[in-house]
Amino acid sequence: MKLYVSSDMEGIAGVVSWDEVNKGQSEYVWACEQMTREVQVVCETAMALGSEKILLKDAHDTGRNIDISELPKGVLINRSWSRDLLVMMSGVDEGYDAVIFTGYHAGAYSDGNPLAHTINATSMKWIKMNGVLVSEFMMNAYTAAYYKVPVIVITGDQAICQEAKRLIPEITTIAVKSCKGGACTTMTGNHALAAIEEGTKIALKKFKASPSACMLSIPEKMTFEINFTNAALAYRASQYKEVELVDACTIRYSTTDYYEFLRMFFFAC
């Protein structure tokens, strides 16, 4: 089995402040340690159950957060950013059997995490696909679907786990914290690791029994709307081919090819 893992930080156990996820802050160090441990247990569990190849994408901020010395032998990790269209899913392709997301978080429109955002909190307020608000989880799940790879596990806050269940009913969700306003009620680090280990075991066994249960279908036609934090950003994005300026801060783009949306998003946003 070949497994692809995309790892973020805002959804790991304990994290509740931007100071804990921004490089250079004193609290960032322990958050990196917890992020590493959560990824580590996923990789170790998957390898114990027969995964012969794991590609891990460090998908938070600089892409240089996970301590690679703590990862099991045989795991490959993609660090920093190659500047390709897949971004948080860089390196995924048809050759992988399944995808796992760790440390994922609620989208910009949600109160499910004090750090809720979608891609870039300073430039975009929200993204919609066919009228539905989009999170990083949703964007990346559709990227996996483009390559016909199912997303079988997500770990993170309760809000994003609930969203994941609505989109992919058979996905295994592991909520390590629930949040409201500026606070989170969270598992301790070791408790989260135990929950992630157990959930990963369950998901991999389910996958072996039914490999296509978590396969997501991409709509035949997609209309995206993106609302920016200021008019200049929207106007710039509207210069991309077939992008329509809806109002001062909002653009619209329609396509039948999800990869073309990723291309537009990469160059226009």
Side-chain angles (χ1 to χ4, degrees):
M1 179 180 182
K2 297 180 180 179
L3 186 66
Y4 183 95
V5 181
S6 175
S7 185
D8 206 352
M9 186 180 279
E10 289 89 353
I12 66 171
V15 159
V16 71
S17 166
W18 289 111
D19 287 342
E20 294 168 330
V21 300
N22 288 333
K23 199 175 187 71
Q25 301 294 324
S26 60
E27 297 167 271
Y28 168 78
V29 175
W30 82 261
C32 283
E33 292 173 354
Q34 182 63 26
M35 180 184 184
T36 299
R37 292 168 73 204
E38 292 188 11
V39 171
Q40 179 187 36
V41 73
V42 167
C43 293
E44 289 177 346
T45 303
M47 294 178 82
L49 291 177
S51 292
E52 68 272 13
K53 177 181 179 180
I54 299 175
L55 176 60
L56 166 63
K57 173 57 189 166
D58 187 331
H60 173 71
D61 195 30
T62 62
R64 295 180 286 112
N65 311 279
I66 295 167
D67 182 354
I68 66 171
S69 68
E70 297 299 321
L71 299 176
K73 181 181 178 180
V75 173
L76 296 175
I77 180 168
N78 182 292
R79 303 182 75 233
S80 194
W81 301 101
S82 63
R83 300 299 177 185
D84 63 80
L85 273 59
L86 303 186
V87 193
M88 296 176 74
M89 298 293 287
S90 186
V92 75
D93 59 30
E94 297 91 341
Y96 289 90
D97 298 298
V99 168
I100 291 177
F101 294 151
T102 69
Y104 269 55
H105 55 83
Y109 45 82
S110 173
D111 66 351
N113 191 317
L115 311 184
H117 67 280
T118 302
I119 306 298
N120 191 326
T122 61
S123 64
M124 287 175 284
K125 290 184 177 179
W126 49 258
I127 305 168
K128 290 182 181 179
M129 174 179 168
N130 292 345
V132 178
L133 288 160
V134 172
S135 62
E136 292 171 11
F137 155 75
M138 188 181 293
M139 284 185 67
N140 294 334
Y142 277 115
T143 297
Y146 180 83
Y147 291 102
K148 302 190 185 318
V149 186
V151 182
I152 62 172
V153 176
I154 182 170
T155 81
D157 58 58
Q158 186 178 58
I160 200 61
C161 287
Q162 290 172 340
E163 179 182 312
K165 272 290 188 185
R166 290 193 294 270
L167 188 66
I168 308 172
E170 295 301 316
I171 193 173
T172 298
T173 61
I174 307 163
V176 300
K177 60 187 176 185
S178 60
C179 309
K180 200 70 176 177
C184 295
T185 300
T186 178
M187 292 180 180
T188 60
N190 288 335
H191 184 186
L193 297 181
I196 291 169
E197 180 180 7
E198 182 62 23
T200 303
K201 287 180 180 177
I202 291 169
L204 289 170
K205 289 175 182 177
K206 285 170 58 180
F207 172 78
K208 290 177 181 179
S210 181
S212 62
C214 292
M215 189 67 73
L216 179 63
S217 296
I218 299 177
E220 291 185 5
K221 183 174 182 180
M222 295 154 282
T223 297
F224 296 91
E225 292 180 312
I226 302 173
N227 182 262
F228 293 89
T229 53
N230 66 67
L233 292 171
Y235 181 73
R236 175 185 177 277
S238 72
Q239 306 307 302
Y240 191 90
K241 184 180 179 180
E242 297 180 356
V243 170
E244 173 189 0
L245 192 63
V246 178
D247 59 38
C249 292
T250 309
I251 62 165
R252 181 183 294 130
Y253 177 76
S254 295
T255 183
T256 57
D257 185 340
Y258 189 73
Y259 195 82
E260 289 308 313
F261 159 69
L262 294 177
R263 193 191 309 277
M264 181 281 293
F265 188 84
F266 185 85
F267 286 106
C269 302

